[in-house]
Amino acid sequence: MQKGESVISVAVAAAVLLAFLVVQRRWQLVSLKEMASSAGEFILTTTGLRGEAPEIAGYAKVKTFRLGPYRAGLYRASPAPLLFAPGRFVIYDRANKPVFKLETLEGSKEPWTTLYDFAGRNGLSAPGGRTRPAYTRSLAGTPEADIIIGQYSGGEQCCTTATVVELGTDSVKVLGSLSGLDGLPFEGLDVRKVDKDPAWELVAHRSYRTLCGLPADAPDVLAVFDYVNGQYTDQTSKHADYLQTLLRQNLQKWSRPRERSLQLLQTVAVSFAVLGSREEGKRFFAMNLPSVLPALRERGVNPNACIEDMEGLVARLPSVIP
């Protein structure tokens, strides 16, 4: 190769690298509010096969989801590093035009982003199951179909963000986002009918770790999200009856010695607090702590420090009943 040709090759390589960095930067700037509006600016490298999501340069297609008139593709940067890599979740219309996009983080071996399977168990499809996945449902009680995207953030005992997206006839839009959910998708999310309202409620589970134990021992603090005024928002204060029912169930579990655990004890204590009975929660915890002293000793925890930390948590948790 001549010297001039070498210089030209270096210049071309530099230009390609610069273009790649510009595209990466553009993706990083996209926010939830900008997803649908900026979708028309997204440039694909191929048209893709019929029924399949298109390919994206520099990314491997991990999975394609069929969503009625839409389809979605989950992508992971290729080649992927040893642990995790940037990813993209894109929804396309019938013409393979992107109408929604979301930055993700994916494990190098397993995807960390998935869709809630309403035909599965706890939102996940059964491995090798014969039931066809059902990724869409009218959650909001409207004629439009909705999906829930679960994004795991990585790390031990970390969390998930769930984003509800409406697949309208002419547009795709975000109906709400729940962050800080426990574990992998969808360990920290229940989709259920809490009341007689036509919309489905989303029950978020969040852990608040204390000095009393390991992350697995943390109390389970619930929040109920309802569809109100076109968005899923935290409406826990409207569902005190539901929380009281759960508290009664947990108290019944505690009455059976074989079911007692540090996690259940902390959960009952914070449940009292959320329902406005903070002092009762503190008393219940202190009086029943002897039942789990072996677990505290095993972890080298000072019982007094445990009680003090739990009292601080009970005092600062918001209450649904003043």
Side-chain angles (χ1 to χ4, degrees):
M1 180 182 292
Q2 299 297 322
K3 183 177 181 179
E5 295 177 345
S6 177
V7 172
I8 293 174
S9 298
V10 172
V12 171
V16 171
L17 177 60
L18 179 61
F20 177 76
L21 292 175
V22 169
V23 172
Q24 288 287 89
R25 180 61 177 167
R26 169 185 276 178
W27 274 91
Q28 292 171 359
L29 292 174
V30 174
S31 66
L32 280 177
K33 291 183 179 179
E34 296 170 334
M35 287 173 188
S37 63
S38 63
E41 301 174 4
F42 180 55
I43 301 174
L44 300 176
T45 57
T46 68
T47 58
L49 300 175
R50 182 176 178 82
E52 289 290 327
E55 304 291 339
I56 300 177
Y59 285 78
K61 184 166 53 179
V62 177
K63 189 171 183 179
T64 294
F65 301 90
R66 296 189 179 186
L67 309 172
Y70 298 95
R71 65 180 58 86
L74 177 63
Y75 305 86
R76 177 173 51 213
S78 180
L82 293 178
L83 298 178
F84 55 85
R88 299 175 181 179
F89 179 84
V90 187
I91 300 178
Y92 304 91
D93 62 13
R94 291 184 183 275
N96 273 343
K97 177 183 177 182
V99 292
F100 178 90
K101 53 190 177 183
L102 188 64
E103 284 190 31
T104 70
L105 191 66
E106 306 300 330
S108 297
K109 295 183 179 180
E110 298 291 336
W112 290 350
T113 301
T114 189
L115 293 187
Y116 196 97
D117 181 4
F118 296 99
R121 184 176 181 180
N122 298 326
L124 296 179
S125 304
R130 297 182 179 181
T131 303
R132 187 173 181 178
Y135 297 121
T136 63
R137 172 179 285 181
S138 178
L139 293 172
T142 67
E144 312 292 358
D146 306 306
I147 62 172
I148 304 176
I149 308 168
Q151 296 173 261
Y152 178 59
S153 62
E156 184 180 1
Q157 297 294 333
C158 200
C159 42
T160 287
T161 296
T163 303
V164 185
V165 178
E166 179 186 270
L167 304 177
T169 304
D170 302 314
S171 64
V172 174
K173 65 179 181 180
V174 175
L175 297 186
S177 184
L178 291 67
S179 61
L181 305 180
D182 286 352
L184 293 164
F186 289 94
E187 295 173 1
L189 180 69
D190 288 333
V191 180
R192 60 175 63 238
K193 285 289 185 72
V194 173
D195 53 30
K196 296 181 180 180
D197 189 83
W200 290 74
E201 281 76 29
L202 307 180
V203 181
H205 297 259
R206 298 187 177 103
S207 296
Y208 288 74
R209 186 176 179 181
T210 68
L211 295 177
C212 300
L214 303 173
D217 302 316
D220 183 17
V221 182
L222 303 185
V224 182
F225 285 70
D226 260 337
Y227 183 73
V228 178
N229 297 325
Q231 288 285 308
Y232 267 98
T233 55
D234 191 335
Q235 301 291 321
T236 309
S237 60
K238 296 181 179 180
H239 297 287
D241 290 344
Y242 172 67
L243 297 181
Q244 287 173 339
T245 298
L246 295 180
L247 174 58
R248 286 193 294 269
Q249 292 174 356
N250 283 331
L251 287 172
Q252 289 177 355
K253 287 183 182 179
W254 186 260
S255 68
R256 298 186 284 269
R258 296 184 63 178
E259 294 195 43
R260 293 177 181 176
S261 67
L262 181 56
Q263 194 274 340
L264 179 59
L265 176 58
Q266 294 192 90
T267 297
V268 170
V270 300
S271 297
F272 274 119
V274 170
L275 287 166
S277 302
R278 299 183 192 275
E279 294 304 317
E280 188 171 357
K282 293 178 183 179
R283 286 195 300 271
F284 183 90
F285 184 80
M287 292 177 60
N288 290 279
L289 190 62
S291 299
V292 295
L293 279 180
L296 295 184
R297 293 194 186 100
E298 183 180 339
R299 293 163 174 75
V301 175
N302 183 320
N304 292 327
C306 172
I307 292 175
E308 183 178 349
D309 199 33
M310 269 300 299
E311 287 183 345
L313 175 60
V314 166
R316 66 177 180 270
L317 282 175
S319 174
V320 299
I321 299 177

